[in-house]
Amino acid sequence: MEICQGVHQMYKCCKVGVIGAGAAGLATAKELIHEGHKITMFEQSMQVGGLWVYDPKVDSDLLGVEPHRKRVHSSVYASLRTNLPREVMSFIDFPFLAQQGRDE
């Protein structure tokens, strides 16, 4: 048994699997690491960001009937805009900054 020092106490370290490298998975992984746990992240796509990663491709079967269809895992679309302020959607150590030449 391995004992870890967390922010507030000593406790048994765990090996934890975090499913998904979207916003929730990344925040969860960060806190688990901060508490001294050993994590493995599982993400089905080749990049982090989860449903917030834009992919211009679409599923080959939009109804989802064909079991061997080409699947595209993305919920965002090219013209997606949010009605939340950037400060609400960012993290303390990873803020969403305005892009050069874009509206604030």
Side-chain angles (χ1 to χ4, degrees), residues 58-72:
V58 296
D59 276 14
S60 58
D61 174 17
L62 295 179
L63 295 178
V65 177
E66 173 59 43
H68 303 291
R69 69 188 182 274
K70 177 184 153 199
R71 295 179 185 212
V72 176

Side-chain angles (χ1 to χ4, degrees), residues 9-78:
Q9 62 188 9
M10 301 273 289
Y11 55 89
K12 180 181 173 189
C13 288
C14 296
K15 291 181 180 177
V16 181
V18 177
I19 300 174
L26 292 171
T28 300
K30 178 183 179 232
E31 291 303 316
L32 287 167
I33 291 168
H34 183 69
E35 289 295 322
H37 298 291
K38 294 172 177 44
I39 67 150
T40 301
M41 292 196 77
F42 299 93
E43 171 57 43
Q44 68 180 351
S45 67
M46 295 301 293
Q47 52 186 321
V48 299
L51 298 176
W52 289 101
V53 176
Y54 172 67
D55 188 341
K57 297 178 280 197
V58 296
D59 276 14
S60 58
D61 174 17
L62 295 179
L63 295 178
V65 177
E66 173 59 43
H68 303 291
R69 69 188 182 274
K70 177 184 153 199
R71 295 179 185 212
V72 176
H73 182 69
S74 180
S75 288
V76 299
Y77 45 90

Side-chain angles (χ1 to χ4, degrees), residues 60-104:
S60 58
D61 174 17
L62 295 179
L63 295 178
V65 177
E66 173 59 43
H68 303 291
R69 69 188 182 274
K70 177 184 153 199
R71 295 179 185 212
V72 176
H73 182 69
S74 180
S75 288
V76 299
Y77 45 90
S79 62
L80 177 70
R81 299 295 179 263
T82 179
N83 62 350
L84 297 173
R86 143 180 331 109
E87 295 80 13
V88 172
M89 296 188 63
S90 65
F91 294 96
I92 291 172
D93 55 349
F94 192 83
F96 287 166
L97 304 174
Q99 292 181 353
Q100 188 93 6
R102 304 288 301 261
D103 291 340
E104 292 287 318

